[in-house]
Amino acid sequence: MHDVVIIGSGPAGLTAAIYAARANLNPLVFTGMERGGQVTLTSDLENYPGFPEGLGGFDMYQRFEQQAMRFGAEMIYEVVTKVELQGDSKNVYTASETYSSKTVIIATGSTPRRLGVSGEDRLIGKGVSYCATCDGFFFTGKHVAVIGGGNSALDEGLFLTRYADKVTIIHRRDRLRADAILQERAKKNKKVHFLFDTIVEEIIGEESLNHLRLKNLKTEAVDSFQVDGVFIFIGHKPNTDLFVGQIDLDAGNYIVTDRRMHTNQSGVFACGDVQDAIYRQAVTAAGTGCIAAIEAEKYIAEHEGRAYPESRK
Ligand code: NAP
């Protein structure tokens, strides 16, 4: 029986691993297919405190992992296929084995919805981005397109006007979904332009993004549209399929936690983007990972009569 199993290897999961390992709980970390999570999509992370020169997303993942392993975390480079979270002994399955644990920390993150058009995957980090906070700075003085018509598209589009000279919001319908106040703000901003009834058919470029092939759904006209960057904000999908029916999810399928990262299932904690539809930053994910690990440690101590600092109860 393990003390702590952590599912996910982004900043939330690996920070939980560092704290759990330092508490001598020998955590097992299941990395999943996308080791390091969404942070590895960012070519240069410039807003993580402590790295004034910035840091590559994959480099950051490797540093987190090294730090966790240094204190005794065990990495398992496999995908979790099934979980049983009820009771005092939780079971976590991979294709080849079953692991039992007193606690489970879920840090499976979320996935930005992709357009699914040709060129999108190949040009991620080379003009295609899903994070304005991470990548906006690289488009200072440039023209960027934002895809989507919801709150994220308008919010992030407005944020991008801090850097870009021109932001064109491309939306598939003739009406925005975003809140009225954001629509008003965007329409007032001289840097913001709109293309309605328009979809992206292809993202084109060799080494980096050169232009988009757009189609107007009303006229069927196809055009090439020159931009330096494209930011895609068509929603996020929390990675919670494994947990449906076992823990409480909200209307957007995010895991419901209290401020101590407890889920409704005792001994099961969640941290990072899988329970956060708002901030979605590496540093906030790391913070909640820390809380989840401390709470797991406390849970085990309470259940087994182990010593635990009064001040943290
Ligand atoms: P969202 O509200 O689901 O909006 C997604 C947008 O992407 C919609 O305009 C949708 O078009 C479009 N879209 C979806 N699939 C597409 C595709 N395949 N091709 C082209 N366009 C596509 O998602 P969100 O904007 O990320 O917001 C998620 C949640 O967070 C919402 O509850 C939102 O209110 C909240 N949020 C709030 C704030 C804020 O209050 N400041 C900021 C950000 C997010 P259609 O409109 O045609 O469906």
Side-chain angles (χ1 to χ4, degrees), residues 113-115 147-153 155 171-173 175-177 179 182 199 233-236 277 280:
R113 290 214 164 87
R114 301 206 176 170
L115 284 171
I147 314 302
N151 278 336
S152 293
D155 222 6
H171 182 38
R172 63 184 176 183
R173 291 187 296 138
R175 202 171 305 165
L176 295 164
R177 178 183 291 277
D179 294 347
L182 279 175
I199 57 165
F233 297 114
I234 59 170
H236 274 78
R280 301 195 287 242

Side-chain angles (χ1 to χ4, degrees), residues 3 131 207 253 275 313:
D3 282 322
C131 177
E207 294 302 305
N253 286 329
Q275 54 82 55
K313 282 187 181 167

Side-chain angles (χ1 to χ4, degrees), residues 74-288:
E74 187 183 340
M75 310 302 293
I76 299 179
Y77 301 105
E78 286 192 61
V79 173
V80 171
T81 53
K82 187 177 130 184
V83 292
E84 286 161 353
L85 300 176
Q86 297 81 1
D88 287 341
S89 170
K90 330 277 180 202
N91 294 320
V92 172
Y93 298 80
T94 64
S96 55
E97 269 190 73
T98 305
Y99 302 81
S100 297
S101 180
K102 296 168 193 163
T103 64
V104 172
I105 297 178
I106 300 170
T108 46
S110 72
T111 309
R113 290 214 164 87
R114 301 206 176 170
L115 284 171
V117 299
S118 164
E120 183 177 14
D121 289 352
R122 188 171 54 80
L123 293 171
I124 289 175
K126 298 170 185 163
V128 174
S129 173
Y130 302 87
C131 177
T133 314
C134 321
D135 297 330
F137 180 76
F138 302 114
F139 297 93
T140 301
K142 307 256 166 112
H143 176 199
V144 297
V146 167
I147 314 302
N151 278 336
S152 293
L154 266 67
D155 222 6
E156 306 286 343
L158 283 164
F159 174 78
L160 286 167
T161 62
R162 290 189 194 187
Y163 308 107
D165 274 355
K166 184 175 176 187
V167 174
T168 303
I169 295 175
I170 301 174
H171 182 38
R172 63 184 176 183
R173 291 187 296 138
D174 60 1
R175 202 171 305 165
L176 295 164
R177 178 183 291 277
D179 294 347
I181 188 160
L182 279 175
Q183 294 196 34
E184 219 171 281
R185 234 178 264 161
K187 282 171 186 163
K188 272 193 196 145
N189 190 312
K190 288 194 168 58
K191 286 187 174 180
V192 177
H193 302 255
F194 290 93
L195 274 179
F196 289 110
D197 301 310
T198 301
I199 57 165
V200 177
E201 283 200 326
E202 192 177 354
I203 300 176
I204 299 160
E206 291 298 323
E207 294 302 305
S208 60
L209 167 63
N210 181 273
H211 64 278
L212 306 175
R213 195 173 78 230
L214 301 182
K215 183 177 180 184
N216 184 302
L217 292 176
K218 284 204 170 139
T219 63
E220 305 247 313
V222 174
D223 266 321
S224 100
F225 190 73
Q226 206 82 31
V227 276
D228 301 295
V230 59
F231 287 80
I232 298 164
F233 297 114
I234 59 170
H236 274 78
K237 184 186 172 303
N239 300 321
T240 48
D241 290 354
L242 270 180
F243 315 112
V244 172
Q246 299 199 52
I247 47 179
D248 283 351
L249 306 180
D250 69 14
N253 286 329
Y254 287 85
I255 295 177
V256 178
T257 56
D258 64 13
R259 53 188 279 274
R260 293 179 171 220
M261 305 306 132
H262 289 240
T263 68
N264 66 313
Q265 192 67 251
S266 75
V268 180
F269 308 86
C271 50
D273 289 12
V274 75
Q275 54 82 55
D276 169 22
I278 300 170
Y279 302 106
R280 301 195 287 242
Q281 299 299 301
V283 67
T284 50
T288 57

